[in-house]
Amino acid sequence: MFVDRVKIDVKAGNGGDGMVAFRREKFVPNGGPAGGDGGKGADVVFEVDEGLRTLIDFRYKRKFKAPHGENGMSKSMHGRGANDLVVMVPPGTVVKDLETGEVIADLVADGQRAVIAKGGRGGRGNKRFATPANPAPELSENGEPGVERTVQLELKVLADVGLVGFPSVGKSTLLSIVSAARPKIAAYHFTTLVPNLGMVDVGDGRSFVMADLPGLIEGASQGVGLGHQFLRHIERTRVIVHVIDMSGSEGRDPYEDYLTINKELEAYNLRLMERPQIIVANKMDMPEAEEALQAFSEKVGPEIAIYPISALTQSGLKPLLIKIADELEETPEFPLEDVLEQEEQNTVLYKFHAEEPEFEITRDPDGAFVLSGDKVERLFAMTNFERDASINRFARQLRAMGVDEALRKRGAEDGDVVRLLDFEFEFQE
């Protein structure tokens, strides 16, 4: 089963908690604080495995949770950092944040890695808070929470050559003849529902990967038919082979087919028209195909080369394969920067991220003040509320951020309820 788009949840590990401890050895007077730091939480890392060809594994496991770091210990011993959670993905995988639409990573090369969710840092033990004014602090931090996000994985087939054209023009037949691939071939539209890959040997020591892609129809750039399911895969091919049914067996005009396909490619991404495109006139064994080819050649002009073939009788294939191999030698692979630029152009959900405020104050229907924001929630999660020193430090941090003053401006008075996540506090002057 070929799966090329899937949604999963990833959660990096939390950092370990710092510890409050003191040295109490018999012959060590004034031993002082000796609480160790917590270990770092594990990252969620995606790594490319060239042996994978589909995202099918993610249909059965959609949640990936990395281990947490160990807590700090006494005698100034730090907790162990957790090993990263490595998730293998096929080459050509694009990872997007589902909430913002931002492209997090574009993984194309074997062994390439990207951190998708970063683990939290370990909380500091009380040894870190010792000062001349407070040489024995009873103060420590909890570990920082790991990043949690929902991502969408999109697989874009990595092939040197992509076959494009209307349904039933002979793309699958051509691939089955020039390679060992065995795509499903039948006399109805959209027989090919997923991309098929095949390795083509030219016969002169050169070879390349060819992809037979789902058929394209008018309106595909707006999602008609298989729409973006087709166009997503053509983005990565270096050379486009445009297969045209020159016999007109479907009752369509070959020249109109040619214009329609190019119009859809251009509408989806202007840069697709910059790729080398080889025109293949297929089904030349059919009656009246020669006359149609002559009329087609006059319309496109003499500057565009056309390769007449018959996939059924296997005629004309050798010159076509040599031409494709020659074009590939002259066409460099697309740099990653260009790929990411294309992603931004084609991602409707992509947004510009303005700098977010440190906190936000709203009101609940019952009159309580609700405090929210990434920074203030992270500080709250890293505060050890079992110790008064940590609580006082959290209060000072909120005051330094301007939370107290902002609450007063919103009308908060002594004794009013302030909510932060699932907890409630009383506002005190």
Side-chain angles (χ1 to χ4, degrees):
M1 184 178 181
F2 186 89
V3 177
D4 61 356
R5 178 179 284 185
V6 71
K7 182 178 72 174
I8 63 172
D9 298 314
V10 294
K11 170 71 170 70
N14 300 336
D17 298 340
M19 187 174 190
V20 174
F22 297 92
R23 295 187 64 183
R24 291 188 174 85
E25 287 90 345
K26 184 175 182 180
F27 299 106
V28 182
N30 303 321
D37 300 342
K40 179 185 177 299
D43 298 335
V44 178
V45 178
F46 283 8
E47 181 178 344
V48 176
D49 179 359
E50 65 179 359
L52 299 177
R53 279 290 175 265
T54 174
L55 300 173
I56 184 66
D57 292 343
F58 295 98
R59 290 286 296 270
Y60 308 108
K61 183 178 181 182
R62 294 180 180 266
K63 295 183 182 294
F64 294 84
K65 190 173 183 181
H68 304 314
E70 286 187 353
N71 296 335
M73 293 165 279
S74 59
K75 297 184 180 178
S76 302
M77 291 189 292
H78 298 331
R80 186 193 304 272
N83 294 325
D84 292 341
L85 174 62
V86 180
V87 181
M88 309 307 292
V89 296
T93 301
V94 178
V95 187
K96 295 180 182 177
D97 187 295
L98 201 62
E99 183 178 347
T100 64
E102 183 180 2
V103 177
I104 303 169
D106 193 317
L107 303 165
V108 294
D110 185 41
Q112 182 182 351
R113 284 183 156 215
V115 176
I116 306 302
K118 193 168 181 59
R121 70 172 177 85
R124 292 174 290 180
N126 68 330
K127 185 177 181 180
R128 298 283 190 180
F129 295 98
T131 64
N134 185 13
E138 295 190 6
L139 176 63
S140 67
E141 285 179 331
N142 290 340
E144 181 183 24
V147 172
E148 186 172 5
R149 68 201 320 175
T150 300
V151 298
Q152 180 169 279
L153 307 186
E154 288 187 1
L155 178 60
K156 299 191 177 183
V157 168
L158 289 178
D160 300 310
V161 180
L163 300 176
V164 305
F166 270 83
S168 300
V169 295
K171 301 186 298 297
S172 298
T173 304
L174 175 58
L175 179 68
S176 69
I177 291 170
V178 300
S179 75
R182 292 293 174 263
K184 182 179 179 182
I185 300 171
Y188 58 85
H189 285 191
F190 298 114
T191 310
T192 304
L193 295 175
V194 300
N196 295 298
L197 295 180
M199 179 64 73
V200 179
D201 185 1
V202 180
D204 57 4
R206 295 181 295 178
S207 61
F208 53 83
V209 178
M210 178 180 283
D212 162 31
L213 300 162
L216 186 60
I217 62 174
E218 188 171 3
S221 57
Q222 279 76 47
V224 178
L226 296 178
H228 293 140
Q229 186 174 340
F230 159 84
L231 290 160
R232 182 166 64 250
H233 296 295
I234 198 65
E235 282 186 38
R236 296 295 173 84
T237 58
R238 293 157 59 196
V239 173
I240 296 174
V241 174
H242 192 156
V243 183
I244 298 173
D245 177 4
M246 202 53 66
S247 70
S249 60
E250 295 281 325
R252 297 189 308 267
D253 178 53
Y255 184 66
E256 291 298 324
D257 284 4
Y258 170 73
L259 296 179
T260 300
I261 296 296
N262 282 332
K263 179 182 174 183
E264 294 303 326
L265 294 177
E266 185 176 8
Y268 181 71
N269 188 334
L270 281 170
R271 307 211 49 177
L272 290 180
M273 301 308 296
E274 299 174 8
R275 312 284 166 85
Q277 186 175 129
I278 299 172
I279 300 177
V280 175
N282 193 22
K283 303 188 181 181
M284 293 303 297
D285 57 295
M286 299 286 286
E288 302 179 358
E290 287 291 346
E291 296 176 11
L293 176 59
Q294 187 174 355
F296 180 84
S297 301
E298 291 174 358
K299 291 179 180 178
V300 298
E303 66 277 0
I304 298 180
I306 303 170
Y307 288 81
I309 70 164
S310 171
L312 189 64
T313 63
Q314 303 186 23
S315 62
L317 297 179
K318 191 67 175 180
L320 172 62
L321 297 183
I322 292 174
K323 173 61 176 176
I324 293 173
D326 291 343
E327 286 287 356
L328 285 171
E329 287 183 349
E330 298 175 6
T331 307
E333 293 189 10
F334 300 104
L336 185 58
E337 292 77 12
D338 288 357
V339 172
L340 291 174
E341 183 181 339
Q342 292 173 15
E343 288 298 332
E344 293 184 13
Q345 292 173 0
N346 297 331
T347 302
V348 178
L349 296 174
Y350 187 80
K351 300 177 182 177
F352 173 76
H353 294 289
E355 188 173 343
E356 296 183 359
E358 292 183 333
F359 63 89
E360 183 181 3
I361 297 174
T362 56
R363 297 290 294 270
D364 270 354
D366 61 358
F369 294 87
V370 180
L371 183 61
S372 60
D374 286 343
K375 184 172 182 180
V376 72
E377 290 172 6
R378 188 166 61 250
L379 287 175
F380 176 79
M382 296 181 70
T383 300
N384 181 358
F385 285 93
E386 295 180 358
R387 295 187 176 274
D388 292 340
S390 297
I391 297 173
N392 293 335
R393 178 171 178 262
F394 179 63
R396 291 194 301 272
Q397 288 173 320
L398 293 185
R399 195 172 300 117
M401 290 171 60
V403 173
D404 288 16
E405 187 61 31
L407 285 169
R408 291 190 188 95
K409 288 181 179 178
R410 291 295 300 267
E413 298 179 353
D414 203 35
D416 282 351
V417 174
V418 179
R419 292 196 179 102
L420 176 55
L421 298 176
D422 296 330
F423 297 85
E424 293 186 352
F425 308 89
E426 285 190 1
F427 181 73
Q428 294 182 348
E429 290 286 355

